[in-house]
């Protein structure tokens, strides 16, 4: 009986720690400065992320000249940069993240920092090489 009660009490904490949905402030890994807000949302069981705010006013109206296909020369503001992630345990992976500055698409893995539920580990991969950024949750 006590084990079941303890499990029921801890379950919301575990579920909340895995909640990557919402608004996140992207942090440049080189400068440490905030660059944009990305809204991470679920659609048809997959995770996506869209740029909804750019902090540098000189970059707000930029067009994505590094994009391909239908996204070529569309505004960076509003661009879906995280696509088709699915949850696999504590990670959200098996999808991609696009860097509009470099024009490169990477395999992507997202997870909540185990020590801070308001930090999101964003990892982009090419083969065995990867880069990691830590984004900050924006409270609504």
């Amino acid at each position: 009986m006590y084990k079941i009660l303890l499990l029921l009490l801890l379950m919301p904490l575990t579920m909340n720690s895995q909640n990557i949905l919402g608004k996140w402030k992207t942090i440049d890994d080189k400068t440490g400065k905030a660059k944009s807000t990305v809204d991470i949302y679920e659609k048809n069981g997959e995770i996506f992320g869209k740029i909804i705010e750019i902090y540098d006013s000189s970059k707000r109206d930029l067009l994505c000249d590094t994009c391909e296909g239908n996204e070529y020369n569309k505004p960076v503001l509003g661009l879906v940069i995280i696509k088709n992630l699915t949850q696999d345990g504590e990670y959200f992976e098996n999808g991609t993240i696009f860097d509009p500055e470099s024009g490169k698409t990477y395999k992507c893995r997202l997870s909540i920092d185990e020590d801070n539920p308001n930090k999101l580990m964003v990892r982009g991969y090419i083969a065995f090489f990867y880069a990691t950024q830590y984004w900050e949750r924006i409270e609504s």
Side-chain angles (χ1 to χ4, degrees):
M1 173 81 172
Y2 292 109
K3 290 180 183 179
I4 293 173
L5 182 59
L6 182 62
L7 180 63
L8 290 174
L9 288 173
L10 293 177
M11 202 154 106
L13 294 174
T14 304
M15 291 170 63
N16 188 38
S17 69
Q18 295 299 315
N19 187 5
I20 66 167
L21 303 180
K23 294 176 179 61
W24 295 89
K25 186 185 306 181
T26 68
I27 307 296
D28 187 295
D29 54 333
K30 294 176 186 134
T31 66
K33 293 184 178 182
K35 293 171 58 172
S36 64
T37 298
V38 172
D39 183 23
I40 297 181
Y41 59 95
E42 183 177 356
K43 179 179 171 186
N44 298 325
E46 294 182 325
I47 300 298
F48 295 83
K50 178 185 207 177
I51 299 173
I52 61 169
E53 186 174 359
I54 297 173
Y55 301 137
D56 182 341
S57 60
S58 69
K59 296 183 178 184
R60 285 189 189 134
D61 296 325
L62 289 180
L63 300 179
C64 190
D65 59 0
T66 62
C67 290
E68 296 179 351
N70 293 338
E71 295 173 337
Y72 177 72
N73 262 351
K74 300 287 185 198
V76 172
L77 186 61
L79 188 66
V80 177
I81 60 168
I82 297 172
K83 295 180 180 177
N84 308 108
L85 298 179
T86 55
Q87 188 168 5
D88 185 9
E90 67 182 279
Y91 299 110
F92 293 81
E93 52 193 1
N94 303 315
T96 60
I97 188 166
F98 177 72
D99 178 1
E101 289 181 358
S102 70
K104 294 185 179 177
T105 299
Y106 303 93
K107 291 181 181 179
C108 181
R109 183 175 85 183
L110 305 178
S111 64
I112 298 293
D113 185 294
E114 61 186 44
D115 296 325
N116 184 348
N118 293 317
K119 280 203 179 228
L120 180 68
M121 183 183 75
V122 179
R123 187 166 283 174
Y125 292 88
I126 293 182
F128 297 106
F129 301 101
Y130 64 87
T132 304
Q133 288 185 345
Y134 290 90
W135 295 358
E136 298 172 1
R137 186 184 304 274
I138 298 174
E139 298 295 326
S140 300

